[in-house]
Amino acid sequence: MNRSLFMGGIPGTMSRRGFLRACAIATAAMGLPMEMVPKVAEAASDPKRPSVVWLHFQECTGCSESLLRASHPDIATLILDLISLDYHETLMAAAGKQAEEDLEKAIERGNYLLVVEGGIPLKDGGIYCKIAGKKAVDILKHAAEKAVAIIAIGTCAAYGGIQAAKPNPTGAVGVSDIIKDKPIINVPGCPPNPHNFLSTVLYYLTFKKLPPTDKFGRPLFAYGRKIHDHCERRPHFDEGRYVEQFGDVGHRLGFCLYKVGCKGPETYSNCPVIRFNDVEVWPVSVGNGCYGCTEPNFWDTMTPFHKRLPNVKIPGGKGIQASATEIGKAALGVTAAALAIHAGVGIAKRLATGSKSEE
Amino acid sequence: MAVYEKKYVWSILLRLFHWTFAPSIFTLIVTGLYIHWPWTNTWLEGSHQFTMAIMRWIHFIAGMLFTCAVIARLYLWFFGNKYERVWDFLPITGRNIKNLFSTLLYYAYLTDHHEERLGHNALAGTAYFFTILLAIVQFLTGLYLLYPEGSLFTSIGATLFGTQQVARFIHYILNWYFAWFALVHIYIVVWNDIKHPEGLISSIFDGFKFAKKEQ
Ligand code: HEM
Ligand code: SF4
C-alpha cells in the first residue's frame, strides 16, 4: 500500500480521505461494525482535543519510536492531531524547568488522559529512576491523581518489562501494581502495534470509557485471540511440517516455526492480522518465531526465545540450566534404577531365605 | 494352609475410573510428547499427513476422558464404598498413620510385618490422593490451553496459573510426573501381587480381593 494514499497535499498533513481510511481501520481493529466509522471519525475530529500527559520511566522509548515511525496510515499525524499532547519528554519543544512547569500546569488543569511508557522501580524506595530529581513512582502517583484514565503503553508500563526480568534488580513493576483507583488499560508489546494504541485512544474518545479487557488488562479487541489461531503458517503446523533449523529447507519453504521456539501458541495479540509498518510484515512472516512480547513476564517465561519452553534454574545448583526434559528423563532413569534395585533385593532376599512368599 | 474368602472391594464405577484413567494417561503421554516435540520427518512437502492435527485430536479426546475419570474419582472420594472414600486411606487417622510407616518399612524390606488391608494401604492412598490433585491441575491447564478465548477455563487458568506459557510449562512438567507415577504404580502393584495371594491385579478387573478368613 502506498503511503501517499493517506497524505494530504501539504507534507506532514493528512487528507480527508486518509483520515477516514485511518478511522475505518481503527474501527475495524476495535471490532466495531462499519456503521460506527462516522461516529469514530466524529470523535476523532472533535475540536475539543483531550489533553494527554505522557510519562517516560524505565524504557527504551521504542514504544514512542514505533508510534512515530508508523507511516501507514500516518498514525503519528493522526495521534498528534487527535490529542493535545501537553507533556511528552521526547517530543515536546520545552526542556528543563519549562518542561516541568508544563507538566505541573497540565496536572493542575486536570481532566487528562495519562499515558505511561516504561516500568517503575520500587526497590530501595524507588531511587533507581528519577526525573528532575523526583522519583518515578512519585511522579506517577502525582500525575495519576487527576487523570481520567491511564493507558500503559508497552510491556514495561503494563507489567514491568525487561528491567523486571529475574532477578529484577530495581524492583520494577507496571502501572497497575501501583495505581489502584483509576481505570487503567494495558497496551503491551515490545513495542506494541501503533494501531492498537490508536484504537484504544479512539475507543475512549468515541465512548468516553475504556474498552473491555481480559484478565491482564489488555483490550479484548486487540488481545482477545491467540497468534497461533491467525497465523499464515498454521496449515504447516497442522500438517506436521516444521522448520528444524534456521536456514534449512523448511525455513526456505515457509514451514511452521514451532520447533524453533515460536510462542504463537501461547501469545495473545492481533499481530498476524494488523501487522507492522508499511510493508505488512510481522515476525513470523519474515521467518522468526513469535517471542510472546505481549504477555506478562515474557522475559522470564518465554526465554530461551528459540526453544519451546523456558529453562529451569535448579535452585541451589551451580547455576546450571537444565530443561524440564532433562529433569524428566533423569527422574525417570533414577526411578527405573531404583525399581530394578528394589526388585533385585527382593529376589536376592527370596533366594537367601528360601522361596518363602508369605505362606 | 490359610483359608481365603472373596470380598467385594472395588465398585464398577471405580473400575471404570481406573480403566479410563490408565489408558488415557498412556495416550496423553505419547501424544503430548509428540505435541511437545513433533519429531516425524517434516521434509515430505506435499504429503498430506496431518500428523500434528491427528496427535492433538487424540490428545484432546483422551484429555476429555481423563477429565471425566478424575471427576468420577473425586465423587468416589466422598460417596464411594468404604474402601473408596478418602478417610479410608489418607493418613489422617492414627490407624492410617501407623499403616503409612509400616508400609514404608515393609516396601523397603526392613520388616516382614504386613498389615492386611482390603482397600488401599495408607502409602498408596496418599500417592493416589496427590495424583488426583495433580490430575486436576493437569486438566485445568489443559483446558486453559484448549479453550483460549474468553471461556470459563480462560478465567480459571489465567487466575490460577497466569499466562498460557506458564500453564503450558506446568502442563509439561506434570507430563513427567504422570510418566513416573505410571511406572512406579505398575511396578508396586506387580510386586504386591507376587508377594500376596490377595488377588490385587485381578481385583481391578472383577472387583474382588481375597482376605484371610478368621478362624
Ligand atoms: C496425564 C495427562 C496429560 C499429559 C501427560 C499431557 C501431556 C501434554 C504434553 C507433554 C503437552 C505438550 C506441551 C508442550 O511441550 O508444549 C500437552 C499439550 C496439550 N495438552 Fe495435555 N496432557 C495431559 C492431559 C491433558 C488434558 C486433560 C487436556 C485437556 C483436555 C490436555 C490438553 C492439552 C492441550 C490443549 C495442549 C496444547 C496443544 C497445542 O497447543 O497444540 N492435556 N499435553
Ligand atoms: S509459526 Fe508459530 S504461530 Fe504460526 S503456526 Fe507455527 S507455531 Fe503457530
Side-chain angles (χ1 to χ4, degrees):
Chain A
M1 245 176 260
N2 192 333
R3 177 183 170 131
S4 60
L5 264 182
F6 298 96
M7 305 299 281
I10 307 157
T13 63
M14 190 179 258
S15 67
R16 170 107 192 120
R17 186 196 171 112
F19 170 76
L20 284 177
R21 198 182 167 94
C23 288
I25 291 176
T27 309
M30 287 186 267
L32 298 173
M34 276 302 126
E35 294 84 71
M36 285 303 294
V37 175
K39 220 174 158 209
V40 172
E42 189 188 313
S45 52
D46 188 341
K48 285 204 306 300
R49 296 180 304 160
S51 163
V52 169
V53 170
W54 192 304
L55 298 177
H56 294 254
F57 299 127
Q58 288 181 314
E59 41 90 338
C60 66
T61 318
C63 299
S64 282
E65 274 290 330
S66 70
L67 189 68
L68 298 173
R69 296 281 175 269
S71 48
H72 159 234
D74 202 329
I75 295 181
T77 315
L78 186 54
I79 283 272
L80 298 179
D81 286 348
L82 206 62
I83 58 183
S84 155
L85 197 52
D86 291 338
Y87 182 85
H88 184 298
E89 277 144 26
T90 328
L91 298 180
M92 66 200 302
K97 193 168 170 348
Q98 202 190 352
E100 292 314 302
E101 273 172 22
D102 285 352
L103 177 59
E104 273 317 309
K105 266 189 230 148
I107 291 178
E108 252 166 55
R109 278 196 301 273
N111 206 25
Y112 51 85
L113 210 58
L114 179 64
V115 179
V116 181
E117 187 176 343
I120 305 104
L122 291 184
K123 205 163 165 190
D124 299 326
I127 57 170
Y128 296 110
C129 177
K130 284 183 165 183
I131 298 155
K134 281 177 258 164
K135 286 184 245 168
V137 53
D138 295 337
I139 302 176
L140 173 65
K141 281 182 182 162
H142 178 51
E145 243 165 60
K146 286 194 178 168
V148 283
I150 306 177
I151 301 180
I153 185 171
T155 302
C156 296
Y159 313 118
I162 185 169
Q163 48 278 320
K166 281 190 188 109
N168 195 353
T170 64
V173 297
V175 176
S176 50
D177 295 311
I178 297 174
I179 308 296
K180 303 285 180 198
D181 54 352
K182 291 278 159 170
I184 301 174
I185 198 149
N186 293 329
V187 185
C190 197
N193 195 311
H195 285 278
N196 293 339
F197 178 71
L198 170 73
S199 303
T200 307
V201 174
L202 272 176
Y203 191 103
Y204 182 76
L205 295 182
T206 310
F207 299 105
K208 305 286 179 270
K209 61 170 195 215
L210 290 173
T213 63
D214 68 2
K215 283 257 171 208
F216 303 109
R218 306 176 285 196
L220 281 173
F221 68 75
Y223 300 90
R225 310 200 67 182
K226 275 209 230 187
I227 292 213
H228 188 57
D229 295 342
H230 286 297
C231 175
E232 67 259 32
R233 297 190 188 224
R234 181 56 185 271
H236 293 303
F237 175 87
D238 284 342
E239 289 213 28
R241 292 194 295 249
Y242 304 97
V243 175
E244 303 282 339
Q245 231 176 37
F246 288 110
D248 69 6
V249 184
H251 200 205
R252 267 177 275 146
L253 292 170
F255 288 177
C256 166
L257 298 156
Y258 188 80
K259 286 173 89 168
V260 286
C262 179
K263 304 296 189 303
E266 294 91 32
T267 304
Y268 291 76
S269 182
N270 53 3
C271 306
V273 180
I274 298 271
R275 303 184 173 228
F276 289 82
N277 307 334
D278 273 357
V279 285
E280 306 287 348
V281 292
W282 68 294
V284 167
S285 76
V286 295
N288 195 83
C290 162
Y291 284 172
C293 74
T294 57
E295 297 293 314
N297 307 325
F298 85 97
W299 289 102
D300 293 326
T301 59
M302 302 292 183
T303 45
F305 287 135
H306 297 123
K307 298 247 166 66
R308 284 277 325 121
L309 292 166
N311 278 351
V312 195
K313 190 145 186 161
I314 300 173
K318 301 173 197 110
I320 314 151
Q321 294 275 326
S323 76
T325 311
E326 281 156 356
I327 297 176
K329 279 185 190 154
L332 218 54
V334 170
T335 310
L339 296 191
I341 293 169
H342 192 270
V345 172
I347 293 167
K349 216 177 148 187
R350 193 147 147 195
L351 289 178
T353 57
S355 98
K356 150 180 159 288
S357 160
E358 317 259 307
E359 272 103 334
Chain B
M1 204 31 210
V3 180
Y4 284 81
E5 60 183 340
K6 233 173 147 184
K7 286 261 171 85
Y8 189 60
V9 182
W10 304 131
S11 67
I12 293 179
L13 184 57
L14 187 119
R15 282 175 277 151
L16 264 175
F17 149 75
H18 182 273
W19 290 114
T20 313
F21 198 56
S24 71
I25 288 182
F26 177 76
T27 315
L28 285 161
I29 290 173
V30 172
T31 52
L33 286 178
Y34 182 85
I35 298 169
H36 175 70
W37 191 251
W39 51 271
T40 53
N41 193 333
T42 62
W43 304 121
L44 303 166
E45 235 272 315
S47 59
H48 301 284
Q49 310 175 50
F50 278 96
T51 328
M52 184 58 132
I54 290 165
M55 289 292 181
R56 291 175 75 233
W57 184 65
I58 297 172
H59 191 85
F60 303 158
I61 292 174
M64 303 295 174
L65 295 174
F66 173 90
T67 307
C68 296
V70 174
I71 291 169
R73 191 64 185 96
L74 283 175
Y75 167 84
L76 289 174
W77 271 3
F78 304 102
F79 306 108
N81 70 26
K82 180 165 172 288
Y83 307 108
E84 293 159 0
R85 298 188 180 198
V86 259
W87 39 91
D88 186 61
F89 52 76
L90 274 192
I92 43 177
T93 58
R95 165 178 174 268
N96 285 355
I97 294 173
K98 245 180 77 195
N99 180 264
L100 178 70
F101 289 106
S102 73
T103 310
L104 274 170
L105 293 178
Y106 179 62
Y107 279 4
Y109 299 113
L110 294 175
T111 170
D112 274 338
H113 167 74
H114 172 63
E115 189 190 329
E116 293 279 349
R117 280 252 176 157
L118 275 175
H120 301 314
N121 68 55
L123 180 64
T126 310
Y128 300 156
F129 178 76
F130 282 110
T131 302
I132 293 294
L133 293 189
L134 292 177
I136 296 171
V137 174
Q138 190 72 340
F139 76 65
L140 285 180
T141 48
L143 291 169
Y144 182 26
L145 291 169
L146 187 57
Y147 300 108
E149 283 160 22
S151 68
L152 173 67
F153 301 118
T154 321
S155 322
I156 297 176
T159 310
L160 290 181
F161 312 113
T163 64
Q164 283 227 328
Q165 175 77 346
V166 175
R168 186 135 197 177
F169 188 55
I170 296 170
H171 196 80
Y172 176 68
I173 299 254
L174 287 185
N175 167 71
W176 293 103
Y177 171 77
F178 284 101
W180 173 86
F181 172 80
L183 202 72
V184 174
H185 175 70
I186 292 172
Y187 173 80
I188 293 185
V189 166
V190 171
W191 183 82
N192 268 295
D193 199 77
I194 292 171
K195 292 203 56 144
H196 301 286
E198 62 173 347
L200 188 63
I201 292 181
S202 69
S203 76
I204 202 64
F205 290 95
D206 64 7
F208 289 98
K209 280 197 186 176
F210 295 86
K212 237 180 276 174
K213 198 167 177 167
E214 309 290 339
Q215 280 162 328

